[in-house]
Amino acid sequence: MGYLESRKNLAGSAGGIAGLALTFTGLAGAYWPAVVLGLYGAGALIAPPEHPPLPDFPDPSAQLDELRGDFSKLREYLNGVELPPAAAGRLTELTEILTALLDPGWVAAVLAQDPEGVHTLSRAIRQDIPEAVDTFVRTRWWTRMTPGTEPPERHLERQLAVLHEESERLAAQLRETEARRQESLTRYLEDRGRSQ
């Protein structure tokens, strides 16, 4: 059924109809079946190939909706974990930035236009933060068994500091994008005012 609606069949059918027209006008003569089949084949050969449809990926706003859901799950997990005060403070600062970036509105709309930014946020929420906290919890237990080793709190604080810096860089990039957009609009309006 798919071939009947294909470009090749439609172009071949048009060629076959042209062959029948030649037959009825008397130009094809006794070889009319070969003319009709030949024109059908020629039409089918020159027709452009079928293009597979593009995959239906979710739009960026749908990706951010999924990310918001995952962030809610992460916050529930983090609420159940006991962290040292310094690491808890760093984690609070980090989650505040992530909350601000994911809030629905114009910030999320700007973020949705930045695939790298969405990927960075997704990686932090779905992988980096849970892994850092989980590794801390597991290592803390082993540290109790072997006193005198480097406290796992230091690693957790450093990891959260790196993730905080990464989130701040993302926020700064989004801010710069909006600033460039504003400057472009100013130049456009000034140029339009001069041309009138």
Side-chain angles (χ1 to χ4, degrees):
M1 188 66 180
Y3 180 75
L4 293 176
E5 297 173 349
S6 71
R7 294 178 185 177
K8 292 197 174 288
N9 185 44
L10 294 175
S13 297
I17 291 172
L20 288 175
L22 290 175
T23 300
F24 291 128
T25 58
L27 295 174
Y31 301 107
W32 70 268
V35 171
V36 171
L37 287 174
L39 288 175
Y40 175 85
L45 286 175
I46 64 169
E50 294 292 325
H51 298 287
L54 290 173
D56 186 24
F57 294 120
D59 66 343
S61 60
Q63 290 176 342
L64 286 179
D65 289 340
E66 290 177 17
L67 202 50
R68 283 185 195 101
D70 291 345
F71 186 54
S72 295
K73 292 177 193 173
L74 176 63
R75 291 183 82 157
E76 288 175 22
Y77 165 72
L78 295 175
N79 288 336
V81 176
E82 183 183 331
L83 297 176
R90 287 220 181 258
L91 187 60
T92 300
E93 293 171 357
L94 176 59
T95 55
E96 285 174 357
I97 290 179
L98 297 177
T99 300
L101 289 172
L102 285 172
D103 273 346
W106 67 269
V107 175
V110 173
L111 178 62
Q113 301 306 315
D114 181 11
E116 288 297 320
V118 173
H119 174 70
T120 299
L121 211 55
S122 172
R123 185 182 59 216
I125 290 170
R126 294 177 175 153
Q127 180 182 350
D128 296 337
I129 297 172
E131 187 173 339
V133 172
D134 184 58
T135 304
F136 163 75
V137 171
R138 292 169 189 260
T139 308
R140 180 175 58 181
W141 186 85
W142 286 106
T143 304
R144 292 177 185 159
M145 305 285 285
T146 56
T149 59
E150 185 177 11
E153 294 86 10
R154 289 188 191 152
H155 285 287
L156 178 62
E157 289 170 24
R158 287 169 40 200
Q159 292 164 359
L160 293 175
V162 169
L163 292 171
H164 185 264
E165 289 171 12
E166 189 177 70
S167 298
E168 282 185 328
R169 276 196 305 273
L170 176 59
Q173 289 171 354
L174 296 176
R175 187 172 42 248
E176 288 173 15
T177 299
E178 284 303 294
R180 283 193 302 270
R181 185 172 157 228
Q182 185 183 29
E183 291 169 5
S184 296
L185 179 60
T186 301
R187 281 194 299 274
Y188 166 73
L189 292 174
E190 289 172 350
D191 291 345
R192 189 176 74 184
R194 289 186 198 116
S195 65
Q196 291 178 352

